[in-house]
């Protein structure tokens, strides 16, 4: 369930087109499933066929890639101009339908329970669904140590930007002066995810280079 401004919904891809594009994208970058492999080989198995992406941090399942029936659930948050809000300043692991009446009432009566820009829970503070905190921290350290060389993390900011670009980069217009397919300069993406300043600068440098066209952006960025 979600609530949104109509202007944001109009800027989303049509649902069926989004599903088709995500299926095509996942087929290109998703690692092949390897069953019953020793734990020491997990890192190798997490690499995409091209070697550009590492998929460590989440299981190789359809819901994590937003394909199949799960594309309908991922669709609403796919546009780079999304500005999400939440209703509470802390994270609740239970669904509201699972809360006792008094427990749910106390949440909504809390003085800080107001619609505010999200996420208010930081990436490593929250108990995110299926989020492997240790593996994600290792990916961030590795990116810093290797100066953001390949392979990039598909489930952190490099991969998020890549998905947005592949989904929305073909559009010739944007809601503001940001390059089509990328978040605005003041987007929460750059503040929330690790290495946001690095990737914002890199996106700006590449997309403002008059010698490059959109087809070359992919090679230069990732």
């Amino acid at each position: 369930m979600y609530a949104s401004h109509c202007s944001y919904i109009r800027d989303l891809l049509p649902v069926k087109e989004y599903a088709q594009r995500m299926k095509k994208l996942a087929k290109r970058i998703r690692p092949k499933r390897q069953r019953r492999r020793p734990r020491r080989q997990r890192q190798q198995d997490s690499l995409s066929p091209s070697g550009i992406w590492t998929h460590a941090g989440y299981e190789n399942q359809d819901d994590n890639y937003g394909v199949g029936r799960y594309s309908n659930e991922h669709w609403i948050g796919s546009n780079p101009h999304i500005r999400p809000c939440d209703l509470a300043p802390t994270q609740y692991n239970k669904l509201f339908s699972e809360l006792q009446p008094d427990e749910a009432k106390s949440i909504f009566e809390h003085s800080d329970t107001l619609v505010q820009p999200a996420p208010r829970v930081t990436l490593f503070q929250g108990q995110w669904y299926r989020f492997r905190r240790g593996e994600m921290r290792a990916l961030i350290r590795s990116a810093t140590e290797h100066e953001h060389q390949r392979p990039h993390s598909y489930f952190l900011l490099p991969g998020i930007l890549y998905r947005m670009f592949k989904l929305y980069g073909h559009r010739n217009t944007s809601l503001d002066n940001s390059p089509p397919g990328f978040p605005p300069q003041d987007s929460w993406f750059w503040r929330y995810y690790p290495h946001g300043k690095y990737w914002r600068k890199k996106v700006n440098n590449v997309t403002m280079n008059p010698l490059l066209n959109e087809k070359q952006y992919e090679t230069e960025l990732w």
Side-chain angles (χ1 to χ4, degrees):
M1 181 181 294
Y2 60 84
S4 174
H5 290 290
C6 293
S7 58
Y8 174 77
I9 299 298
R10 285 196 298 268
D11 201 45
L12 290 169
L13 289 171
V15 175
K16 290 185 178 180
E17 181 182 348
Y18 172 80
Q20 293 169 353
R21 285 180 173 272
M22 283 303 300
K23 181 179 180 180
K24 182 178 179 180
L25 176 61
K27 184 178 181 180
R28 178 181 178 184
I29 56 86
R30 192 172 175 179
K32 295 181 179 180
R33 294 188 179 185
Q34 302 287 351
R35 299 185 181 276
R36 298 181 181 180
R37 298 290 291 270
R39 181 177 294 273
R40 64 179 179 273
Q41 295 182 4
R42 176 182 294 176
Q43 182 176 1
Q44 181 179 353
D45 291 343
S46 70
L47 290 176
S48 61
S50 66
I52 297 176
W53 301 102
T54 174
H55 299 257
Y58 282 93
E59 291 287 348
N60 188 355
Q61 300 175 172
D62 286 353
D63 53 344
N64 290 329
Y65 288 88
V67 295
R69 77 165 185 85
Y70 301 102
S71 66
N72 294 332
E73 300 172 18
H74 286 241
W75 168 78
I76 187 62
S78 64
N79 193 283
H81 289 84
I82 186 172
R83 295 185 183 272
C85 295
D86 60 25
L87 296 174
T90 56
Q91 178 174 299
Y92 296 93
N93 292 326
K94 293 182 179 179
L95 297 174
F96 276 98
S97 60
E98 298 174 347
L99 298 175
Q100 296 298 319
D102 290 343
E103 193 175 2
K105 183 179 179 181
S106 68
I107 294 174
F108 283 105
E109 289 182 345
H110 194 282
S111 60
D112 290 331
T113 307
L114 301 170
V115 175
Q116 293 187 19
R120 281 185 271 178
V121 179
T122 63
L123 185 63
F124 288 101
Q125 181 184 10
Q127 299 295 321
W128 305 114
Y129 185 56
R130 293 179 177 169
F131 184 77
R132 291 173 172 171
R133 187 179 284 102
E135 290 188 25
M136 287 299 191
R137 287 189 186 278
L139 290 172
I140 294 168
R141 287 196 302 270
S142 177
T144 302
E145 293 170 358
H146 296 90
E147 300 181 344
H148 305 283
Q149 298 298 311
R150 298 176 179 177
H152 303 297
S153 172
Y154 183 76
F155 292 111
L156 288 173
L157 189 55
I160 293 171
L161 295 174
Y162 178 74
R163 290 195 296 277
M164 289 177 174
F165 175 71
K166 297 300 287 185
L167 291 169
Y168 292 94
H170 66 288
R171 296 189 170 187
N172 295 323
T173 59
S174 177
L175 294 179
D176 53 23
N177 293 325
S178 60
F182 293 104
Q185 296 298 306
D186 63 346
S187 174
W188 62 278
F189 282 102
W190 311 119
R191 299 187 301 272
Y192 183 74
Y193 286 99
H195 306 135
K197 290 182 179 180
Y198 168 85
W199 283 100
R200 181 171 58 183
K201 181 179 179 180
K202 187 171 185 179
V203 167
N204 289 338
N205 289 341
V206 170
T207 57
M208 290 190 296
N209 187 338
L211 300 178
L212 299 176
N213 56 46
E214 290 187 8
K215 292 183 178 180
Q216 295 171 306
Y217 289 173
E218 183 173 340
T219 301
E220 294 296 322
L221 283 169
W222 300 285

